[in-house]
Amino acid sequence: MSKKTMVSFRLNGKDTDVVVEPRELLIHTLRERCLHTGPHIGCETSHCGACTVDMNGMSVKACTVLTVQAEGADLLTVEGMAQGGELHALQEAFMQEHALQCGFCTPGMLIRAHRLLQEIPDPSEEEIRYWMAGNLCRCTGYQNIVKAVQYTARKLRGEAVQTSHPLMGETR
Ligand code: FES
Ligand code: FES
């Protein structure tokens, strides 16, 4: 049996220590030890993006990162997006634009879109599709996910936003 080691990181702003075997994957640590089950396990081969988390300002697929590689890291998962009981603008936008159906891909989509908007506050549709290409969705056809990112970008720039979804119709 391999020797266990302590790994320390910040998880959604909270100092966290875990004791793991060197072979343990970050997705398993997050879900089973830290009880952050937002990051999902889909393919476990870095294809689907369901396990996407932000690590030191980069999107990573937690099914292909060893927990020991997260030593000293700053990690953001979907659980860290809402603040003070208020949804993050992206979460609101996904709701307003009907950008999810079953929701399995959504935690990874939100974290990837969050990184995109950190890097490019006013992305073109082409840039959104390029940045989100590593996150697969079997339900939505992607169009409403693109709209949700555009909605968020407008909102974060202080512009009035209105959903394009016919059943929502709420202006904020
Ligand atoms: Fe990690 Fe699919 S579970 S990319
Ligand atoms: Fe079902 Fe994306 S909403 S996989």
Side-chain angles (χ1 to χ4, degrees):
M1 185 184 293
S2 30
K3 198 169 164 226
K4 291 196 173 182
T5 180
M6 180 181 285
V7 181
S8 302
F9 45 74
R10 272 182 87 71
L11 177 57
N12 297 328
K14 190 169 163 217
D15 289 331
T16 303
D17 300 319
V18 291
V19 178
V20 298
E21 289 187 19
R23 64 180 179 149
E24 184 163 311
L25 294 170
L26 183 59
I27 188 65
H28 295 301
T29 302
L30 292 174
R31 289 178 57 84
E32 292 154 29
R33 298 187 191 279
C34 305
L35 305 181
H36 281 46
T37 54
H40 288 159
I41 301 173
C43 63
E44 285 192 286
T45 54
S46 84
H47 286 89
C48 75
C51 63
T52 304
V53 302
D54 203 87
M55 181 162 126
N56 295 331
M58 288 178 60
S59 300
V60 298
K61 292 177 175 173
C63 70
T64 52
V65 175
L66 293 167
T67 302
V68 292
Q69 292 177 284
E71 171 63 35
D74 203 2
L75 298 170
L76 176 71
T77 69
V78 70
E79 286 89 347
M81 289 184 74
Q83 295 292 327
E86 293 277 322
L87 291 180
H88 186 278
L90 268 166
Q91 293 171 307
E92 176 198 314
F94 268 58
M95 190 170 63
Q96 291 293 329
E97 294 289 24
H98 205 66
L100 65 148
Q101 290 178 35
C102 79
F104 190 83
C105 70
T106 309
M109 289 284 182
L110 286 167
I111 286 290
R112 180 60 176 159
H114 181 267
R115 176 52 39 205
L116 160 59
L117 293 175
Q118 295 285 309
E119 305 294 332
I120 309 176
D122 186 14
S124 65
E125 177 173 346
E126 190 180 11
E127 286 171 321
I128 295 170
R129 289 184 183 277
Y130 177 80
W131 272 70
M132 304 302 291
N135 291 70
L136 304 184
C137 176
R138 298 184 68 172
C139 306
T140 64
Y142 301 102
Q143 185 59 35
N144 287 357
I145 292 172
V146 172
K147 287 181 183 171
V149 177
Q150 292 170 325
Y151 176 112
T152 309
R154 286 196 300 275
K155 178 157 186 174
L156 293 178
R157 288 199 302 270
E159 297 173 18
V161 285
Q162 185 165 20
T163 178
S164 61
H165 195 275
L167 297 181
M168 301 302 281
E170 190 177 339
T171 305
R172 289 174 184 244

